[in-house]
Amino acid sequence: DGGITQSPKYLFRKEGQNVTLSCEQNLNHDAMYWYRQDPGQGLRLIYYSQIVNDFQKGDIAEGYSVSREKKESFPLTVTSAQKNPTAFYLCASQSRDRGTSSYEQYFGPGTRLTVT
Amino acid sequence: GESVGLHLPTLSVQEGDNSIINCAYSNSASDYFIWYKQESGKGPQFIIDIRSNMDKRQGQRVTVLLNKTVKHLSLQIAATQPGDSAVYFCAEPNNNDMRFGAGTRLTVKP
């Protein structure tokens, strides 16, 4: 089955530790995205990547880092510099094929990170 | 700046009734919109999309209406079912990413 996966579903960390969230897709999509969602709020863009070895900051990139060494993978590291890391993190991918008529982003199931 | 927003944060309907979820946008150049459904603890799922050259698009039990004059779109769900309970987001492409509204939480009462 084609899709996008995130692991783990729940993650617990102590304050001051870096933690890396996994995101993998087998949809052959060029673009991948990381969003943060807080209770009762919408999605805020952290980082995105349109192509391998390239990525751009979103609206709330401070305290986060990413890498895009492979087309299929876009891991997100939540560093100790992130002031309020506890949140629901969503990864998405999107086709950049100009021939498609849809701009739909496909989302993973999310990772709920709790930092205490 | 440009944004996509929602009129109401919550909506409660009786099972079997129709639901209408609204969304306003500010960028008059926007030419494409998507509605997503997000169930509790899960990632958003695509419901339906619409391009600006259309006023209406229908799917299975869902209809999206676009009013470009007042920059408003709505999602109508016919015969709302308990499984429709979720948060609904409107979204529009913005340069290289997607802009999402805050969402409306739909609760279906039995």
Side-chain angles (χ1 to χ4, degrees), chain B residues 58-71:
Chain B
Q58 287 186 293
Q60 188 177 16
R61 280 201 309 118
V62 295
T63 301
V64 57
L65 300 178
L66 177 62
N67 185 331
K68 294 178 285 293
T69 302
V70 295
K71 291 184 283 188

Side-chain angles (χ1 to χ4, degrees), chain A residues 33 37 50 59 101 104-105, chain B residues 36 38 46 51 96 99:
Chain A
Y33 305 81
Q37 187 176 32
Q50 293 182 277
D59 300 320
S101 60
E104 178 187 353
Q105 288 190 359
Chain B
Y36 284 92
Q38 185 180 24
F46 173 92
R51 291 198 171 275
N96 296 312
R99 293 291 159 173

